Amino acid sequence: MKINRNAWRIQKYGGPAVLTPFQDVLSQPGPEEIVIQTKASAVTRADTMLREGTPKFARLFLGLRKPRNDLVGAGFSGEVIAVGREVSRFAVGDEVFGEAGLQFGANASHILMNENGVIMPKPRELSHEEAAVMCDGPLTSYNFLHRIAAVRRNARVLILGGSGSLGSAAVQIAAHMGAEVSATTSARNAGLVASLGAGHVIDYSQEDFTMGADTYDVIFDTLGVSSFGQAKRVLTPNGRYICPVLGCDLLGASLVTSVFGRKRAQFSATGMLKPAELREQLSQVLEIVEARALAPVIDRTYPLNALPEAHRYVDTGRKVGNVVAA
């Protein structure tokens, strides 16, 4: 079966204009591979950082002048249209969602994946647009709150960036865990963040959380807008500052606090965990979805052929929740 693919690649690091559309013929699936016709794919801040080649030290691993793997996009949702002869987890016609990881290529009409990758059956409760973003905000936030910080019932949790893709998921997940949730956001998004489960909403333009009287067991900095040094004063004696945006400050703080002191700075590259572990965590996230305690927030959906426009919007820093290409 001949499968024509429409996709996007990054020819060099830079702004949205470096995104280049192309067409090719997708190879036939190998023995353990499946071909998925994508119905929706995520457009995330991580995608735009890859396009920009930031932080620059990441280019040592990704490629010095352009990504070695120049395809675009990680999160996807769609329908299986072809399977290899040894595939056992999926069949033609199955609706699935997942994460392409460092393979990338989700912002495309089709994607070829090993069946043992981060792929799950799409639940009925989620649209393709919602399922496409599950491996960004929801999965990453669950990994940090559950596995890294081990949030317990009645823990005091502060989410920095409560209206973003990670933040909007983190507020819902922390509330489901029984935590006492506070979150920072802009005044225009305060109502949304409160509706997601934040008992206390902080307008970051009016109030500096580091100068307040409240203390927190966990501070989840979803955007990398603060630092362990700034947050340390308002952490409880065994408090955790957790952040998915790795920089020199966080790296240094993580190393030092792993040896000295009771307060900790912690980082995790969620997408680098083994596929089996990520599938297990996704199963637990889906239980929260089925309990109607988690629903991804979708800000805008763009046609796949308008991917540069989607990147431009993400670059503004004003998106609420998630952006999708479909």
Side-chain angles (χ1 to χ4, degrees):
M1 180 174 64
K2 182 179 179 181
I3 302 172
N4 295 312
R5 175 176 64 170
N6 297 310
W8 290 84
R9 60 164 51 107
I10 303 171
Q11 294 187 310
K12 61 180 180 179
Y13 293 122
V18 305
L19 294 169
T20 304
F22 72 96
Q23 295 180 333
D24 66 357
V25 177
L26 204 61
S27 62
Q28 294 296 310
E32 296 183 342
E33 293 179 326
I34 63 176
V35 178
I36 301 161
Q37 182 176 7
T38 58
K39 304 296 185 180
S41 56
V43 183
T44 70
R45 178 55 184 146
D47 295 329
T48 64
M49 291 176 69
L50 172 66
R51 186 205 72 226
E52 295 168 344
T54 56
K56 288 190 176 181
F57 69 77
R59 298 185 186 188
L60 295 173
F61 310 100
L62 298 173
L64 293 178
R65 297 183 179 179
K66 69 174 185 177
R68 295 186 186 93
N69 185 343
D70 61 359
L71 297 176
V72 186
F76 64 86
S77 181
E79 180 182 338
V80 177
I81 63 168
V83 300
R85 64 179 181 274
E86 296 178 11
V87 169
S88 59
R89 292 185 62 216
F90 303 104
V92 171
D94 287 350
E95 292 190 323
V96 297
F97 75 98
E99 172 84 16
L102 294 179
Q103 169 185 331
F104 303 114
N107 296 143
S109 60
H110 300 80
I111 187 170
L112 181 70
M113 293 280 294
N114 187 291
E115 71 160 338
N116 295 313
V118 185
I119 311 173
M120 301 285 288
K122 185 185 80 67
R124 296 178 181 177
E125 293 88 350
L126 296 174
S127 67
H128 281 294
E129 289 79 7
E130 292 171 325
V133 304
M134 287 298 294
C135 293
D136 184 38
L139 179 58
T140 302
S141 294
Y142 184 83
N143 178 52
F144 271 87
L145 294 171
H146 178 78
R147 189 178 72 90
I148 304 301
V151 170
R152 299 181 181 277
R153 181 169 294 277
N154 298 321
R156 292 175 56 83
V157 176
L158 173 63
I159 311 296
L160 302 183
S163 62
S165 54
L166 271 70
S168 59
V171 169
Q172 296 177 76
I173 292 170
H176 178 73
M177 290 177 166
E180 182 181 332
V181 183
S182 299
T184 66
T185 189
S186 63
R188 69 186 180 95
N189 294 323
L192 168 67
V193 173
S195 73
L196 297 176
H200 180 211
V201 179
I202 301 169
D203 179 354
Y204 63 77
S205 68
Q206 300 296 321
E207 182 179 349
D208 182 352
F209 79 92
T210 67
M211 303 304 294
D214 293 329
T215 57
Y216 306 95
D217 300 301
V218 175
I219 296 177
F220 184 17
D221 184 354
T222 67
L223 299 171
V225 294
S226 186
S227 68
F228 175 73
Q230 294 171 317
K232 184 177 180 180
R233 191 188 73 80
V234 291
L235 284 172
T236 54
N238 292 301
R240 299 288 185 267
Y241 170 84
I242 56 177
C243 180
V245 184
L246 184 62
C248 293
D249 286 347
L250 178 58
L251 178 60
S254 298
L255 294 173
V256 170
T257 62
S258 67
V259 178
F260 301 104
R262 295 162 60 190
K263 300 179 182 182
R264 297 281 188 268
Q266 294 174 292
F267 165 80
S268 171
T270 303
M272 300 301 291
L273 298 176
K274 293 181 179 180
E277 183 174 356
L278 291 175
R279 291 197 304 268
E280 175 60 28
Q281 291 200 47
L282 271 175
S283 296
Q284 295 164 355
V285 171
L286 291 179
E287 291 179 2
I288 305 176
V289 172
E290 292 168 0
R292 300 184 181 278
L294 172 62
V297 176
I298 306 297
D299 185 343
R300 296 187 183 183
T301 300
Y302 291 81
L304 179 60
N305 61 13
L307 186 65
E309 291 302 316
H311 273 240
R312 287 188 184 95
Y313 181 59
V314 174
D315 282 346
T316 67
R318 295 194 298 268
K319 73 177 179 69
V320 178
N322 301 274
V323 173
V324 175

